[in-house]
Amino acid sequence: MQVKQMRKKFSKLDKMEMSIWECCELLNEVVDESDPDLDEPQIQHLLQSAEAIRKDYPDQDWLHLTALIHDLGKVLLLPKFGGLPQWAVVDEYINTY
Ligand SMILES: [Fe+2]
């Protein structure tokens, strides 16, 4: 599927409605195979990232939130969101869009 088709498919925002935390919890089922330093589910990565940034930048609450949500796009790996292959989802550039 081409990028334009994917953008059209997912930009409708009609797949599901959930809170940020509910989305984080879905990542408890996802391990990023492309990250050799991380064998833990992605929810661990999100929480560790947010906590590390909170420690280093305690007054930048928007940055804590950014760290918490930066990989939520990885839900696309889950079957109920299309079950896309890891190579199509885990790239940091793709995750920011
Ligand atoms: Fe990440």
Side-chain angles (χ1 to χ4, degrees):
M1 187 175 286
Q2 294 182 344
V3 171
K4 288 181 181 177
Q5 292 172 311
M6 295 293 285
R7 183 168 289 177
K8 184 176 180 182
K9 177 180 178 181
F10 288 104
S11 65
K12 295 174 191 168
L13 304 177
D14 62 350
K15 305 295 180 252
M16 182 175 283
E17 187 171 326
M18 70 182 90
S19 70
I20 293 293
W21 183 247
E22 288 170 326
C23 192
C24 290
E25 288 183 317
L26 288 173
L27 291 179
N28 204 29
E29 305 169 32
V30 173
V31 175
D32 184 348
E33 297 169 358
S34 72
D35 187 344
D37 298 327
L38 196 61
D39 294 333
E40 301 294 327
Q42 282 295 294
I43 191 170
Q44 295 284 347
H45 172 59
L46 298 178
L47 293 170
Q48 289 172 347
S49 298
E51 286 298 328
I53 288 177
R54 179 163 49 184
K55 182 180 177 188
D56 291 345
Y57 303 96
D59 299 328
Q60 304 293 321
D61 58 352
W62 64 272
L63 195 53
H64 313 157
L65 178 61
T66 301
L68 183 67
I69 68 173
H70 81 278
D71 274 338
L72 292 184
K74 291 179 181 177
V75 295
L76 296 176
L77 296 167
L78 299 171
K80 63 179 152 185
F81 292 96
L84 298 178
Q86 290 244 348
W87 63 262
V89 175
V90 299
D91 180 82
E92 292 299 320
Y93 178 77
I94 291 172
N95 276 318
T96 60
Y97 291 92

